[in-house]
Amino acid sequence: MRGNFEVENSAYPVAALPDGNGRYFVTCMIGLDRLHDAPIHHEAASEIARRTNDLHRKSRETGWRGHGLSPEVLTYAKTRVDMYQASLIE
């Protein structure tokens, strides 16, 4: 129970977790929710997780007290993953 509270209020709730095949998922550790369906390269997942955590900290400082990531932070993370995946197709 305490671990769940600590993750919920952590400044680093988003992580790049491996899929077991050398690729990674950007994952919200509060609910262990993957923020995208297809795995991506470690460098991209780590950078997106780092920036998402930066935005999460700022949202907490400016008043976000809801469960999990704020809608704006969640949208940012998903958009960045989509942009990265689209760049691989082009």
Side-chain angles (χ1 to χ4, degrees):
M1 199 57 128
R2 180 167 169 78
N4 193 22
F5 175 81
E6 289 175 357
V7 172
E8 176 71 34
N9 294 290
S10 169
Y12 302 97
V14 178
L17 297 182
D19 73 342
N21 296 310
R23 300 291 181 120
Y24 288 75
F25 288 97
V26 179
T27 305
C28 180
M29 300 303 290
I30 295 167
L32 295 178
D33 302 315
R34 290 179 174 171
L35 302 184
H36 51 99
D37 295 326
I40 60 177
H41 290 283
H42 178 257
E43 295 80 14
S46 294
E47 177 59 25
I48 293 167
R50 184 195 65 75
R51 182 67 179 129
T52 301
N53 284 323
D54 289 346
L55 293 172
H56 173 71
R57 282 191 295 280
K58 288 178 184 166
S59 73
R60 289 285 186 196
E61 290 171 3
T62 58
W64 171 256
R65 297 290 177 254
H67 174 69
L69 304 174
S70 71
E72 296 82 9
V73 172
L74 188 58
T75 297
Y76 167 81
K78 290 181 176 186
T79 300
R80 288 291 294 142
V81 170
D82 289 346
M83 289 171 58
Y84 173 76
Q85 290 174 327
S87 73
L88 295 176
I89 295 170
E90 295 173 357

Short mmCIF file of all heavy atoms in Angstrom, two decimals, residues 8 10-11 20 22 26 28 31 37 40 43 49 55-56 72 75 89:
data_model
loop_
_atom_site.label_atom_id
_atom_site.label_comp_id
_atom_site.label_asym_id
_atom_site.label_seq_id
_atom_site.Cartn_x
_atom_site.Cartn_y
_atom_site.Cartn_z
N GLU A 8 2.56 7.05 -6.75
CA GLU A 8 1.55 8.05 -7.11
C GLU A 8 2.09 9.46 -6.93
O GLU A 8 1.82 10.34 -7.73
CB GLU A 8 0.29 7.86 -6.25
CG GLU A 8 -0.78 8.89 -6.48
CD GLU A 8 -1.49 8.76 -7.81
OE1 GLU A 8 -1.69 7.63 -8.28
OE2 GLU A 8 -1.86 9.79 -8.37
N SER A 10 5.37 10.27 -6.70
CA SER A 10 6.76 10.34 -7.12
C SER A 10 6.95 11.38 -8.21
O SER A 10 6.05 11.66 -9.00
CB SER A 10 7.20 8.97 -7.66
OG SER A 10 8.44 9.05 -8.31
N ALA A 11 8.16 11.92 -8.29
CA ALA A 11 8.51 12.83 -9.38
C ALA A 11 8.91 12.04 -10.62
O ALA A 11 9.14 12.62 -11.66
CB ALA A 11 9.65 13.74 -8.94
N GLY A 20 11.80 -7.38 -23.49
CA GLY A 20 12.48 -8.67 -23.53
C GLY A 20 13.13 -8.96 -24.86
O GLY A 20 13.82 -9.97 -25.03
N GLY A 22 14.88 -6.39 -26.66
CA GLY A 22 15.74 -5.26 -26.99
C GLY A 22 15.01 -3.98 -27.30
O GLY A 22 15.62 -3.00 -27.70
N VAL A 26 7.30 2.93 -23.00
CA VAL A 26 7.16 4.02 -22.05
C VAL A 26 5.96 3.63 -21.18
O VAL A 26 4.87 3.42 -21.70
CB VAL A 26 6.93 5.37 -22.76
CG1 VAL A 26 6.77 6.48 -21.74
CG2 VAL A 26 8.07 5.67 -23.72
N CYS A 28 3.69 4.08 -17.49
CA CYS A 28 3.31 4.81 -16.27
C CYS A 28 3.31 3.80 -15.14
O CYS A 28 2.52 2.85 -15.13
CB CYS A 28 1.94 5.46 -16.43
SG CYS A 28 1.46 6.37 -14.94
N GLY A 31 0.02 2.77 -12.54
CA GLY A 31 -0.89 1.65 -12.82
C GLY A 31 -0.27 0.60 -13.70
O GLY A 31 -0.95 -0.30 -14.17
N ASP A 37 1.40 0.85 -27.95
CA ASP A 37 1.25 -0.58 -28.23
C ASP A 37 2.51 -1.26 -28.76
O ASP A 37 2.78 -2.39 -28.42
CB ASP A 37 0.11 -0.80 -29.24
CG ASP A 37 -1.23 -0.39 -28.66
OD1 ASP A 37 -1.43 -0.56 -27.44
OD2 ASP A 37 -2.08 0.10 -29.41
N ILE A 40 9.57 0.48 -28.74
CA ILE A 40 10.45 1.40 -29.45
C ILE A 40 11.88 1.26 -28.92
O ILE A 40 12.12 0.57 -27.94
CB ILE A 40 9.96 2.87 -29.32
CG1 ILE A 40 9.90 3.31 -27.85
CG2 ILE A 40 8.60 3.03 -30.00
CD1 ILE A 40 9.49 4.77 -27.65
N GLU A 43 16.75 4.38 -26.51
CA GLU A 43 17.09 5.81 -26.44
C GLU A 43 15.83 6.68 -26.51
O GLU A 43 15.69 7.64 -25.76
CB GLU A 43 18.06 6.20 -27.55
CG GLU A 43 19.41 5.53 -27.45
CD GLU A 43 19.43 4.10 -27.98
OE1 GLU A 43 18.47 3.67 -28.68
OE2 GLU A 43 20.39 3.39 -27.68
N ALA A 49 10.39 9.22 -21.56
CA ALA A 49 10.10 9.04 -20.14
C ALA A 49 10.70 10.18 -19.32
O ALA A 49 10.05 10.73 -18.42
CB ALA A 49 10.62 7.69 -19.65
N LEU A 55 7.70 17.08 -17.08
CA LEU A 55 6.39 17.73 -17.19
C LEU A 55 5.48 17.33 -16.03
O LEU A 55 4.70 18.15 -15.53
CB LEU A 55 5.73 17.38 -18.53
CG LEU A 55 6.42 17.96 -19.76
CD1 LEU A 55 5.80 17.40 -21.03
CD2 LEU A 55 6.36 19.48 -19.75
N HIS A 56 5.57 16.09 -15.60
CA HIS A 56 4.77 15.63 -14.45
C HIS A 56 5.13 16.43 -13.19
O HIS A 56 4.24 16.89 -12.46
CB HIS A 56 4.99 14.14 -14.21
CG HIS A 56 4.34 13.64 -12.97
ND1 HIS A 56 2.97 13.51 -12.85
CD2 HIS A 56 4.86 13.24 -11.78
CE1 HIS A 56 2.68 13.06 -11.64
NE2 HIS A 56 3.82 12.88 -10.98
N GLU A 72 -2.75 16.53 -19.79
CA GLU A 72 -1.79 17.19 -20.69
C GLU A 72 -0.47 16.42 -20.77
O GLU A 72 0.10 16.27 -21.84
CB GLU A 72 -1.52 18.62 -20.22
CG GLU A 72 -2.71 19.54 -20.26
CD GLU A 72 -3.64 19.41 -19.05
OE1 GLU A 72 -3.29 18.74 -18.07
OE2 GLU A 72 -4.73 20.00 -19.12
N THR A 75 -1.05 13.20 -22.73
CA THR A 75 -1.15 13.52 -24.16
C THR A 75 0.24 13.78 -24.74
O THR A 75 0.55 13.31 -25.83
CB THR A 75 -2.06 14.73 -24.39
OG1 THR A 75 -3.38 14.40 -23.94
CG2 THR A 75 -2.11 15.14 -25.85
N ILE A 89 8.71 5.26 -40.07
CA ILE A 89 7.99 4.82 -41.27
C ILE A 89 8.42 5.64 -42.48
O ILE A 89 8.54 5.12 -43.58
CB ILE A 89 6.46 4.94 -41.06
CG1 ILE A 89 6.04 3.96 -39.95
CG2 ILE A 89 5.71 4.66 -42.34
CD1 ILE A 89 4.61 4.15 -39.48
#
